Amino acid sequence: MPIASPEAYAEMLDRAKAGRYAYPAINVTSSQTLNAALKGFADAESDGIIQVSTGGAEYLSGPSVKDMVTGAVAFAAYAHEVAKKYPVNIALHTDHCPKDKLDKFVRPLMAISQERVKNGQEPLFQSHMWDGSAVPVAENLEIAEQLLTEAAKGKIVLEIEVGVVGGEEDGVENAINEKLYTTVEDGLAMVDALGLGEKGRYMAALTFGNVHGIYKPGNVKLRPEVLHHIQVAVGAKYGKEKPLSLVFHGGSGSLLSEIREALDYGVVKMNIDTDTQYTFTRPVADHMFRNYDGVLKVDGEVGNKKMYDPRVWGKAAEAGMAARVVEACEHLRSTGTTMK
């Protein structure tokens, strides 16, 4: 199937919320990790979201170029082509973009999609994230409102973050403290500024103790009930049941019970990066250690081309990551839910 149309993406998100499941949003940094994610979704018979961060997009442009827009456009062009061969719907998304990178990343990409839509084409990306967690809530929502207007012109879903995700990702680091929990007041302010769809469609990463990176269960206190309280408050004010489409960030190390509780409260997208990075790299390390004399020309020998051929260890890496995507679909209850 081709990359999901705006209409198909909207249906994906609606079905997920109604069915109390979420799509894994897999961060990728190369054609190989993209292919691994696609295979994982196909194996799980799940639609899904594949995304690039600012750092991932820069890396995709090449280490001597380091241009986020170039990398993102190249990634999207490749994804649009190869996704046609898989029997699932895939949405393309850009991950965390802080204020100082909006003009160098999200806004130029939105402009490209707006131009495509004017010409009768689909948007290049189906959604973009604005990460305003480092600025005051009022400023965060003011920028979000501006971006939502631009996103709507390009038939794009906007993702915003209200609250703070702890830990570090792409150079953005936040302390682990009470700021990790979005308040009901902030949730109501968000809807007051952005509406509930009439100004454009958006998803909200409301925080409930989330931390980027890897940690063992119990080290960070997740409170999924925070999401429930905000849904109830917004729903009561606007006369709607579970009105918000929510996003779960920083989920590595979370208990399955915590993940499933968050799904019940309206999470439709869960970012997965740290775990898939490891499951891509681990088979490569295994291959290198097991075939040391083959991948290296030790003591003047010639090595073994069949062992150091990147396609050999690359296939193992992709298989390892694809298996983790399948597991993510099972955890998020999206297995077998593809719209096809």
Side-chain angles (χ1 to χ4, degrees):
M1 286 185 179
I3 295 297
S5 66
E7 295 75 20
Y9 191 29
E11 185 179 350
M12 283 170 58
L13 299 177
D14 288 341
R15 285 164 56 105
K17 187 162 66 169
R20 296 187 302 115
Y21 62 88
Y23 298 107
I26 307 299
N27 280 73
V28 301
T29 55
S30 66
S31 60
Q32 283 190 297
T33 48
L34 167 62
N35 288 334
L38 288 170
K39 185 179 188 304
F41 284 124
D43 288 347
E45 298 184 351
S46 170
D47 300 326
I49 300 168
I50 297 178
Q51 60 189 24
V52 289
S53 64
T54 55
E58 182 180 272
Y59 181 80
L60 278 157
S61 75
S64 64
V65 176
K66 293 185 176 180
D67 182 83
M68 294 180 288
V69 172
T70 296
V73 170
F75 152 75
Y78 183 81
H80 274 264
E81 195 60 38
V82 296
K84 296 175 184 177
K85 300 295 183 179
Y86 292 86
V88 289
N89 296 283
I90 299 296
L92 303 182
H93 177 79
T94 61
D95 201 9
H96 293 269
C97 182
K99 182 181 178 181
D100 65 339
K101 294 181 179 177
L102 282 173
D103 288 340
K104 296 179 285 186
F105 191 51
V106 163
R107 288 193 174 108
L109 291 173
M110 281 189 177
I112 290 172
S113 285
Q114 288 171 0
E115 189 63 28
R116 286 170 62 96
V117 169
K118 284 181 184 178
N119 294 331
Q121 299 173 283
E122 304 287 9
L124 189 63
F125 283 83
Q126 285 61 62
S127 51
H128 294 292
M129 182 188 177
W130 147 236
D131 183 353
S133 61
V135 301
V137 172
E139 182 182 0
N140 180 356
L141 295 178
E142 181 181 354
I143 293 172
E145 190 171 9
Q146 297 167 0
L147 291 172
L148 186 60
T149 299
E150 295 304 309
K153 293 177 183 177
K155 298 184 178 181
I156 298 161
V157 176
L158 182 68
E159 179 184 328
I160 70 167
E161 183 170 311
V162 179
V164 175
V165 175
E168 186 273 335
E169 182 172 70
D170 273 355
V172 178
E173 187 168 0
N174 292 304
I176 298 174
N177 53 36
E178 281 302 310
K179 291 183 180 180
L180 301 187
Y181 304 95
T182 306
T183 66
V184 168
E185 292 72 24
D186 288 343
L188 289 168
M190 175 187 72
V191 177
D192 184 56
L194 304 183
L196 286 174
E198 65 275 10
K199 296 182 180 182
R201 181 149 192 164
Y202 67 94
M203 298 180 283
L206 305 181
T207 58
F208 52 101
N210 321 59
V211 177
H212 286 133
I214 187 66
Y215 58 90
K216 293 181 179 180
N219 286 14
V220 175
K221 179 61 178 175
L222 290 177
R223 301 176 194 162
E225 66 272 14
V226 166
L227 305 180
H228 176 62
H229 296 325
I230 295 173
Q231 288 276 32
V232 169
V234 172
K237 181 174 180 178
Y238 293 91
K240 295 185 178 182
E241 184 179 356
K242 205 160 66 173
L244 301 173
S245 295
L246 304 178
V247 181
F248 189 156
H249 286 208
S252 296
S254 300
L255 296 172
L256 183 57
S257 59
E258 295 170 333
I259 293 172
R260 294 277 175 82
E261 185 178 355
L263 302 185
D264 293 339
Y265 299 148
V267 165
V268 297
K269 172 180 180 281
M270 179 174 174
N271 290 12
I272 300 175
D273 187 14
T274 302
D275 289 355
T276 47
Q277 286 180 352
Y278 181 77
T279 54
F280 184 85
T281 300
R282 181 64 180 82
V284 179
D286 182 71
H287 176 86
M288 299 305 173
F289 283 127
R290 289 179 182 274
N291 300 286
Y292 182 84
D293 292 340
V295 297
L296 297 178
K297 297 181 179 182
V298 179
D299 296 330
E301 293 299 323
V302 296
N304 184 342
K305 183 180 182 301
K306 292 183 178 180
M307 293 295 104
Y308 59 73
D309 184 337
R311 291 170 293 185
V312 175
W313 49 264
K315 288 177 183 176
E318 289 184 34
M321 180 172 164
R324 181 63 182 85
V325 173
V326 170
E327 182 182 52
C329 292
E330 293 171 352
H331 288 172
L332 299 183
R333 303 179 182 143
S334 72
T335 302
T337 62
T338 181
M339 300 187 301
K340 294 185 179 180

